[in-house]
Amino acid sequence: MLLQILINGLLKGGLYALMAIGMSLIWGVMDIINIAHGSFIMLGAFVTYWLFTLLGIDPFLSLFFSVGLLFILGYGIQRYLINYVIRASAFITLILAFGIEIFINNLALVAWTADVRKVEVAYGAANFSIGHWVTIPTVRLVAFGLVILISLLFFFILNRTHLGRSIRATSQDLDGARLVGVDVAHTYALTFGLGIGAAGAAGTLWAILFPISPMMGGILTLRSFVVVIIGGLGSMLGPIIGGLALGLTESFGSNWFGSTYSDLIGFTILVLVLIIRPKGILGGTD
Amino acid sequence: MERPCGVILTLAAVFAMILFFGPPDTAAADPTINLGCAISFTGGQSRTGKLYRDSYDMAVEQINKTGGVNVGGKRYQMKIIYYDDKSDPTESSKLVEKLISEDKVNFLLGPYSSGITIPDSIVAQRYRVPMIEGGGASGKIFSRGNKYIFGTLPPAGQYFKSTLDMLETLKPAPKSVAILYSDDKFDVSVAEGTKKLAKGMGLDVVLFEKYSEGATDFTSLLTKIKSKNAQVVLLSGHTEESLNFTQQAKELNVCPKLIAMTVGPSEADFRHSLGKDAEYIYGVASWSTQMNFKGLLFSDTQQFVQQFKAKFDYDPDYHNASGIADVAVYKNAIEKAGSLDPQKVRDAIAATDLNTIYGRVQFSPNGQIKGTSVVLQIQGGEIYQVFPTGTKTPVYPFTCWTDR
């Protein structure tokens, strides 16, 4: 049974990490706390839902569409909305993101109603067993693989490509980056697009595993936020460590103390991390 | 600064015109009885809130079509004034106050969910205006000595009674029960009542655990169910939780002999979303479309079901029927009282003995309807009443996920 709880926690952590990775990127590079992150996950989930329901496109295939569409959306929002206030204090961007969240959620509510929907795929609940006591849900395992893949992809983009160098340059020294000819507005928009694209991927997997509805974003934002704080900013490994830490503590915590306490445990860890390591488990010290 | 002034003047002129000419003339032939209702149009409860609104509207339309309400020989039309409580109890109680003091409504219809009904009912009591509600069943609403609240959902603590009664008729009769419930007020009442009943029947309650309302992850709970080897799982929660629980039970291949849920199985969405994974899951309801009652407003349950489907394009469930009963009770009580005096109408409601498409409505002294629930089961994609009487017999034990 302990092994099963461990696996439950690890797989849940993988999903949390995937949710948080985009938020971490945007936060780390642009210092924007994207409160609307969960709403973008919701949009990704609905892209998958509609492609599957209307056109019969396999949810895993729709990953390309949800990532692509949300990348474009994220690029547009950053370029033509957030860029106007990016030099203002952090509170202004926070309020703007909050506004975007309310707007998206209510637009979705009007367009799709508050109905709870479900992508009904045959393999949604597929699993395989190891011995009598351990059952591994396949989709969650795939999600786990995907988060590692996406993290590696981000790592590659940030460290090995021209775009990545521009992103890191703007985050390290804005004026310096401008001097060497980096188009800052464009770079920021691409970063935001990448972050939101990752939210789209998380949305697709969420839609395969859980029922979806327009108001689901709030709690997802909160979880992503906790994961980013726990893991620490500035490293692609941060959200993974944070996600796994949260997944495991929730899983063991709710086994030992009862399910109502799973949120309490998550937030206790958050407070502890803030006290002991304010920069997160992997965050640097300054 | 001149332009804004111009804009303000134009707006002022428009408002003045509206004030002068007044809104479109509504004071037609008959005077109206206004019912006030703060209910969820948005937020977490908006889905179920809509079920009540549809029913309230349909019942009022039916009353107005068939001659209105006869108060001491004078015909009244009925009308509902709605506000959106955004699924927030504080907001809801403020709106109820507004309905009473500003809109001067005659009577109140309830919101959805026990948690919102409690503060609303306290406002109704303070202003001494009767409230009939169809969406709150927690004992906490009715245990306060409030004389102005009446509810048409049966007592929460008795919800699973029919299911437990059914267990004794199954062969072999299951012995161990797991009770899982959300920390919502209604579900806590259900779970505590169920635990008491189950122990009284000599069943072994191997797991009694609460989870947070809106929880998405049930893997820990399911792992416990498997390790404690619970034969029966009784889940008291909300649609999304029921959906998540079922999907994750399949993911982890947890397969008890019987699964019953308070909310979910009777909703068409639940069955469509889960497809064949929803098969054989049991539900409880105070009402089902397979019942047949003759009643006020509609000639019988079947005629109501048909008319409802034609109008709204979905199958009504017990929420809808309960909502219809609320409005029917008002018509009956107002006519019996022969007055719109809140006190007289309250007394008439308390004395209600009325046949409706929802069944016979009589209230206990605490204001809650006397009645019991029936057991439903999903078989072949449809929901059937299976106990105490039913159109089908219960399928037991549960066929495991992978063997279907």
Side-chain angles (χ1 to χ4, degrees):
Chain A
M1 183 171 147
L2 280 180
L3 192 59
Q4 179 74 53
I5 295 166
L6 179 76
I7 288 168
N8 291 346
L10 280 176
L11 295 181
K12 184 154 62 160
L15 203 61
Y16 285 164
L18 185 58
M19 274 160 47
I21 200 163
M23 189 184 219
S24 166
L25 180 75
I26 291 168
W27 194 343
V29 172
M30 288 181 287
D31 212 14
I32 294 173
I33 301 171
N34 183 17
I35 295 290
H37 195 71
S39 304
F40 290 108
I41 299 179
M42 180 271 293
L43 286 180
F46 269 93
V47 168
T48 297
Y49 174 81
W50 287 117
L51 286 177
F52 176 76
T53 312
L54 298 178
L55 304 172
I57 294 177
D58 186 274
F60 274 104
L61 212 61
S62 74
L63 199 61
F64 297 101
F65 294 97
S66 62
V67 171
L69 284 172
L70 279 147
F71 174 81
I72 295 166
L73 182 69
Y75 185 94
I77 285 180
Q78 170 66 32
R79 185 96 204 214
Y80 302 107
L81 207 60
I82 303 179
N83 253 346
Y84 292 109
V85 296
I86 191 113
R87 291 287 146 259
S89 79
F91 279 109
I92 302 293
T93 50
L94 195 67
I95 290 169
L96 180 60
F98 192 46
I100 294 172
E101 191 222 5
I102 295 174
F103 181 76
I104 293 177
N105 287 356
N106 285 284
L107 198 67
L109 206 56
V110 171
W112 302 319
T113 74
D115 283 5
V116 179
R117 296 158 197 271
K118 180 92 188 61
V119 176
E120 197 200 323
V121 278
Y123 55 74
N127 58 55
F128 55 90
S129 297
I130 303 170
H132 177 61
W133 281 112
V134 179
T135 306
I136 298 177
T138 318
V139 175
R140 285 177 194 236
L141 191 67
V142 173
F144 194 79
L146 209 61
V147 63
I148 292 172
L149 206 68
I150 289 178
S151 309
L152 285 175
L153 193 69
F154 273 15
F155 184 82
F156 175 78
I157 290 175
L158 284 181
N159 290 292
R160 295 279 183 275
T161 64
H162 182 72
L163 168 65
R165 280 191 286 273
S166 314
I167 290 176
R168 281 185 298 137
T170 44
S171 87
Q172 280 162 8
D173 186 339
L174 189 65
D175 294 326
R178 279 219 181 90
L179 272 177
V180 295
V182 172
D183 180 349
V184 174
H186 179 64
T187 308
Y188 275 172
L190 283 175
T191 312
F192 202 81
L194 281 176
I196 300 304
T204 293
L205 284 160
W206 190 271
I208 299 172
L209 286 167
F210 304 103
I212 60 170
S213 70
M215 302 306 280
M216 69 193 232
I219 187 75
L220 303 185
T221 302
L222 215 57
R223 282 267 151 66
S224 312
F225 183 80
V226 175
V227 168
V228 173
I229 297 276
I230 293 177
L233 289 171
S235 147
M236 277 303 109
L237 216 54
I240 297 185
I241 299 294
L244 293 183
L246 184 66
L248 284 173
T249 43
E250 276 190 8
S251 191
F252 280 99
S254 51
N255 182 56
W256 289 326
F257 306 111
S259 298
T260 356
Y261 296 104
S262 89
D263 286 341
L264 178 71
I265 295 157
F267 286 103
T268 308
I269 298 289
L270 173 71
V271 172
L272 285 180
V273 166
L274 283 176
I275 294 170
I276 301 164
R277 284 192 69 92
K279 294 252 158 194
I281 295 173
L282 286 186
T285 46
D286 55 356
Chain B
M1 281 306 287
E2 272 168 43
R3 270 174 72 110
C5 278
V7 172
I8 291 168
L9 279 177
T10 318
L11 279 175
V14 171
F15 276 120
M17 278 194 279
I18 292 173
L19 280 176
F20 186 75
F21 295 108
D25 192 15
T26 47
D30 294 336
T32 55
I33 298 169
N34 289 320
L35 301 179
C37 179
I39 197 164
S40 314
F41 286 62
T42 55
Q45 311 292 10
S46 58
R47 229 187 123 272
T48 319
K50 182 180 180 296
L51 304 182
Y52 284 97
R53 272 175 10 239
D54 287 350
S55 286
Y56 291 161
D57 289 341
M58 187 178 178
V60 165
E61 195 189 305
Q62 187 76 9
I63 288 175
N64 292 339
K65 251 190 344 208
T66 52
V69 184
N70 180 351
V71 187
K74 200 172 168 197
R75 297 248 156 239
Y76 280 75
Q77 293 280 296
M78 210 176 233
K79 194 184 143 203
I80 305 178
I81 299 173
Y82 285 114
Y83 288 117
D84 174 15
D85 68 18
K86 303 185 179 69
S87 304
D88 173 1
T90 322
E91 181 80 21
S92 197
S93 54
K94 268 191 265 174
L95 291 171
V96 172
E97 203 148 1
K98 180 172 149 78
L99 282 164
I100 299 170
S101 50
E102 284 180 33
D103 299 304
K104 310 271 183 223
V105 296
N106 300 94
F107 309 108
L108 295 163
L109 285 167
Y112 171 66
S113 97
S114 292
I116 301 179
T117 309
I118 293 173
D120 285 11
S121 68
I122 294 170
V123 176
Q125 179 185 31
R126 201 187 316 137
Y127 286 91
R128 297 167 182 272
V129 177
M131 172 185 272
I132 305 181
E133 55 93 7
S138 167
K140 297 198 168 79
I141 301 168
F142 303 98
S143 60
R144 303 167 171 267
N146 185 341
K147 294 271 173 243
Y148 292 86
I149 182 76
F150 297 92
T152 51
L153 288 182
Q158 302 283 318
Y159 241 56
F160 274 124
K161 176 151 195 327
S162 49
T163 312
L164 292 173
D165 288 341
M166 182 182 76
L167 295 186
E168 291 187 325
T169 68
L170 299 172
K171 285 187 183 83
K175 292 274 169 266
S176 57
V177 182
I179 301 169
L180 311 176
Y181 57 108
S182 115
D183 56 4
D184 178 274
K185 289 191 175 66
F186 169 74
D187 298 305
V188 173
S189 303
V190 170
E192 284 168 356
T194 308
K195 187 180 177 186
K196 216 191 242 168
L197 289 169
K199 287 202 163 153
M201 293 169 68
L203 290 161
D204 189 12
V205 180
V206 291
L207 186 65
F208 183 75
E209 194 162 320
K210 182 156 71 169
Y211 60 82
S212 311
E213 185 179 347
T216 48
D217 196 280
F218 289 90
T219 49
S220 308
L221 274 174
L222 284 159
T223 307
K224 277 191 201 173
I225 290 174
K226 195 170 182 177
S227 74
K228 305 232 173 192
N229 209 359
Q231 292 171 316
V232 173
V233 174
L234 304 176
L235 178 78
S236 185
H238 307 87
T239 314
E240 268 182 83
E241 296 147 24
S242 304
L243 279 168
N244 272 320
F245 180 87
T246 312
Q247 158 123 8
Q248 288 166 29
K250 188 182 175 196
E251 278 179 47
L252 293 178
N253 208 17
V254 177
C255 193
K257 287 191 169 144
L258 186 151
I259 300 177
M261 297 168 173
T262 49
V263 177
S266 68
E267 290 169 27
D269 273 6
F270 179 88
R271 304 193 293 274
H272 295 159
S273 300
L274 287 170
K276 73 176 179 351
D277 296 337
E279 285 296 296
Y280 313 123
I281 292 177
Y282 288 88
V284 273
S286 47
W287 181 85
S288 87
T289 52
Q290 284 145 26
M291 290 178 158
N292 213 347
F293 295 115
K294 298 203 181 309
L296 190 63
L297 303 187
F298 303 92
S299 59
D300 60 37
T301 308
Q302 292 315 311
Q303 189 242 332
F304 159 72
V305 171
Q306 276 173 15
Q307 204 172 323
F308 190 94
K309 263 174 94 166
K311 190 170 164 71
F312 296 110
D313 202 25
Y314 65 86
D315 281 326
D317 71 5
Y318 68 94
H319 298 292
N320 298 101
S322 173
I324 296 281
D326 296 343
V327 180
V329 168
Y330 266 129
K331 176 180 156 71
N332 178 63
I334 294 168
E335 290 184 346
K336 284 257 160 72
S339 153
L340 293 179
D341 177 56
Q343 196 57 46
K344 285 184 182 151
V345 172
R346 191 222 83 90
D347 294 342
I349 297 169
T352 298
D353 184 358
L354 178 68
N355 287 315
T356 70
I357 53 101
Y358 181 62
R360 186 176 174 189
V361 180
Q362 283 181 296
F363 294 104
S364 302
N366 68 5
Q368 195 162 21
I369 194 169
K370 293 176 185 167
T372 51
S373 49
V374 294
V375 183
L376 311 169
Q377 189 179 32
I378 299 170
Q379 293 182 13
E382 291 296 325
I383 186 98
Y384 294 100
Q385 189 181 322
V386 294
F387 190 84
T389 57
T391 37
K392 299 244 177 181
T393 47
V395 174
Y396 176 88
F398 193 70
T399 318
C400 206
W401 314 104
T402 43
D403 303 332
R404 298 184 170 186

